[in-house]
Structures are given as structure tokens and as C-alpha cells.
Amino acid sequence: MSPFFLMDYNSKVEFPPTDQPRGVGVHPHRGFETVTIAYHGRIAHHDSAGNSGIIGEGDVQWMTAASGLLHKEYHERSFSKAGGLFQMVQLWVNLPAKYKMTAPKYQEILREKMGNHVLPDRAGVIEVIAGEYKGTPGPASTFTPVHVYNARLKSGAHVELNFPSSYNTGILVVEGTAVFNGEPVSTDHFVLFNNDGEQISIETNEDTILLVLSGEPILESIAQYGPFLMNTREELEQAIADVNAGKFGVLED
Ligand code: MN
């Protein structure tokens, strides 16, 4: 679903308290961006470009790996100790060839910094993370045109979304249920739309949270190996050689 390459969805789960670190240790990325969207729980991030941060419920971390970095992603310590509900999405957003080797970057997008489009008739709110909704822009800077929203809809909402038919568009039902163009979809399901129309009609019969993704496809070859997302096999081999040569920097476990 270019430019979105991967969605890693941790649906809602209750973690018991622990003193052991939970998460993913030091690993490299090159050629794309990781976008982590928190619905429940808190995670901490550190990378070899010197960026770190903690995001919690409703927040987003937009990390541009681009030319390459090492990072680690863990449940934030006090959350781990206390335990609790955890629910997150991580997206891999591809970069076009001309931006794959630009410098790494880190955007911490707290919920209060998002575009906040209040819907009429108390239907809820569209939180704009990237792109725009009806003139309300989101704070994320992106390398290609993408729209990323959390639609937090009340029961009885009726909302229309419009995207160019050439864009690839999908919606994850994070909470509740919704009816998309007449078809009901339940919690934890993902809807991938055909590229044959511009309008999406959404109706709800309960309070619902939707992760809305739409973007202009990057029409380039894709070569992927583990944590690298490049255009050619040779670039993957170069990425591995560069990691082994220490060119992705240093980060302690
Ligand atoms: Mn990672």
C-alpha cells in the first residue's frame, strides 16, 4: 500500500507488571520512516542520532531513519513496572530514492500538537497527524504526500472522507465498529480501499477510533531485507556493509 510498506499492529493487550525491560533492543534501519502511534501504554525510544523520547496514550513518534541509524524501542519503565493496557501501531513509511540517504530526523508529535478538526453535530474529532483534513493541517513533516488521522468518532457519527483515487487508502478500526460505504467492519480489522473512487462514507453506532491512512504511491522498485528498505539489492548489500562498518553510529543496549 505504497507509500506505506508495513503495519505492525499490537491490538489491545493487558501486560502484567514486571521489572524486566520489555521491547526491542538495538537494531538498524535505513531507507524509510517508522511511525509509532500509541493508543494505550507508553513506550520509550532512543537512537544513535541522539534523539530520545517517551510517547503515551494518543501520541505519535515519527522517526525518519533515512540514511541510517540504530534505535531501541521499549515499554517505558514506570509503565512496565505498573503494567496495564497496551495498544500501538507502527507503520513503515517508504521514502523515494532521492530522500533515502538524507539525514535521520525525529518528530515527537504529542496529541495536543495534532491538528484538531471538531466535527459538526457532536460527531467527534479528527486528529490530524500528517497531511490535512478539510483545511486542518497536521504537524508531521513528510517527504511525500500522506494523510494520517486518528478519527475519534462518537456513536451516531456520519463522516465523509475524500482522497484522490490515485492515492492508496486504508483504515484500521482501533476501537469500536464502523460502517464504510455501507459495509460494517469490526474492531481490529483493516479496510483497504480500491483505487476507483474518491469518497468514503463512515457511520458509527458506538464510540469508535479509526486510524486513517492515505498517500500518493511511490512508483519505484522496492528491495527489502530485514530492517532495510531500498530500491535495489546492491543498496541492501551496501546497508549491511555500512552497519558492519559502524557507519550507523553507536547506541548502548
Ligand atoms: Mn525499529
Side-chain angles (χ1 to χ4, degrees):
M1 201 186 121
S2 180
F4 307 98
F5 181 78
L6 174 148
M7 170 184 276
D8 183 3
Y9 177 41
N10 190 134
S11 66
K12 208 184 283 176
V13 62
E14 179 81 29
F15 277 98
T18 180
D19 287 323
Q20 298 299 313
R22 267 199 197 105
V24 188
V26 176
H27 60 280
H29 289 299
R30 173 180 279 179
F32 64 101
E33 304 181 284
T34 64
V35 178
T36 309
I37 304 165
Y39 293 98
H40 290 284
R42 290 200 309 201
I43 55 161
H45 158 93
H46 295 83
D47 70 44
S48 57
N51 296 305
S52 64
I54 293 167
I55 58 166
E57 193 167 321
D59 301 332
V60 171
Q61 170 204 288
W62 197 295
M63 187 195 78
T64 307
S67 64
L69 47 62
L70 305 174
H71 80 158
K72 54 183 179 181
E73 307 163 270
Y74 281 100
H75 291 199
E76 185 270 327
R77 192 171 310 215
S78 65
F79 170 72
S80 258
K81 270 188 191 300
L85 261 190
F86 188 89
Q87 185 181 28
M88 301 239 174
V89 169
Q90 187 172 90
L91 305 170
W92 288 14
V93 180
N94 202 359
L95 292 172
K98 65 178 172 180
Y99 297 124
K100 281 190 185 293
M101 294 302 283
T102 56
K105 190 166 83 171
Y106 182 79
Q107 302 174 72
E108 187 176 76
I109 302 170
L110 301 180
R111 189 172 172 189
E112 61 263 25
K113 289 200 284 183
M114 292 172 187
N116 201 62
H117 188 102
V118 178
L119 297 165
D121 307 323
R122 299 180 183 224
V125 62
I126 307 249
E127 292 175 350
V128 185
I129 299 161
E132 60 92 26
Y133 176 76
K134 294 195 174 179
T136 301
S141 81
T142 68
F143 289 83
T144 61
V146 296
H147 301 284
V148 179
Y149 318 143
N150 274 325
R152 297 177 185 268
L153 306 178
K154 297 292 181 196
S155 180
H158 183 184
V159 182
E160 305 279 343
L161 303 178
N162 274 275
F163 301 113
S165 59
S166 59
Y167 280 29
N168 290 323
T169 299
I171 299 180
L172 176 70
V173 182
V174 173
E175 190 80 54
T177 58
V179 179
F180 298 92
N181 294 340
E183 286 198 43
V185 178
S186 52
T187 314
D188 293 339
H189 285 250
F190 183 81
V191 183
L192 175 62
F193 293 89
N194 292 327
N195 298 86
D196 60 3
E198 304 209 321
Q199 189 156 312
I200 298 166
S201 148
I202 302 171
E203 290 171 329
T204 57
N205 297 308
E206 59 180 310
D207 289 0
T208 295
I209 301 173
L210 306 173
L211 174 60
V212 179
L213 307 171
S214 185
E216 184 180 84
I218 299 169
L219 303 173
E220 296 179 0
S221 62
I222 286 176
Q224 187 246 343
Y225 178 78
F228 310 117
L229 183 52
M230 306 301 290
N231 297 108
T232 67
R233 186 187 163 85
E234 290 68 32
E235 289 167 346
L236 293 176
E237 289 169 356
Q238 188 64 51
I240 294 164
D242 287 349
V243 167
N244 290 337
K247 291 183 180 171
F248 279 46
V250 177
L251 187 65
E252 282 181 26
D253 249 320

